[in-house]
Amino acid sequence: MTQNKTTENDLSVTDFLNTVTDETKRKDCFNLSNIIAETTGFKAKMWGTAIIGFGSYHYKYESGRAGDAPLVGFSPRKYAIALYLSSGFEKRDELLAKFGKHKTAKACIYVKHLSDIDVEILKEMVTNSVARIKSLYP
């Protein structure tokens, strides 16, 4: 089995976020970090070199592949901020319909600016996502 490249480490979240060149995105990321930390009760930690994660869980797939991952995470990407939540959390479609301007992929939700979304809906999505992951990987 290969080792996961994205693992929790002791790199500085603050130092990483300060490398975000777009001032609005940098401020949004600091605010997002605070929102997720307050919602989950977990401190922001670096995972790999570009993902900020909160909490962690251990997974093991039927294939035998296993590892650790953040319960919730995000990463400032070139064109948007990628939010990493469970793909099957409770009321996902209903909440996304009220969330605000975003795009989705399999497990990622992309937002350009915090001002484009409803932060209270984000908090509910984060809470539901954490509950979903904890139910799958107790």
Side-chain angles (χ1 to χ4, degrees):
M1 288 285 162
T2 59
Q3 288 286 83
N4 288 343
K5 294 177 186 173
T6 306
T7 57
E8 184 177 338
N9 59 65
D10 292 325
L11 295 174
S12 168
V13 171
T14 300
D15 289 350
F16 169 66
L17 290 179
N18 279 327
T19 68
V20 175
T21 55
D22 180 277
E23 183 179 354
T24 300
K25 185 180 288 181
R26 184 174 54 253
K27 287 179 180 178
D28 281 352
C29 286
F30 276 109
N31 287 333
L32 184 58
S33 182
N34 290 333
I35 290 164
I36 296 173
E38 288 173 11
T39 303
T40 63
F42 295 109
K43 182 180 175 187
K45 298 284 287 183
M46 289 300 300
W47 285 73
T49 58
I51 295 175
I52 295 100
F54 302 81
S56 66
Y57 68 99
H58 185 76
Y59 62 85
K60 186 170 184 178
Y61 299 135
E62 287 183 21
S63 66
R65 182 174 173 84
D68 296 304
L71 286 167
V72 177
F74 75 91
S75 184
R77 301 293 187 200
K78 185 174 183 177
Y79 296 107
I81 299 168
L83 302 172
Y84 303 110
L85 304 173
S86 165
S87 61
F89 62 83
E90 184 179 347
K91 300 194 302 184
R92 183 178 192 269
D93 293 337
E94 177 186 329
L95 291 169
L96 283 173
K98 299 186 278 184
F99 185 52
K101 191 174 177 182
H102 70 281
K103 292 184 179 181
T104 59
K106 185 173 182 179
C108 295
I109 299 167
Y110 299 97
V111 298
K112 291 237 184 214
H113 307 286
L114 277 185
S115 60
D116 290 339
I117 62 168
D118 184 323
V119 172
E120 293 307 312
I121 298 293
L122 172 65
K123 291 176 184 179
E124 189 172 352
M125 291 180 357
V126 166
T127 299
N128 291 0
S129 180
V130 169
R132 170 75 174 163
I133 292 169
K134 285 184 173 184
S135 74
L136 293 173
Y137 304 98

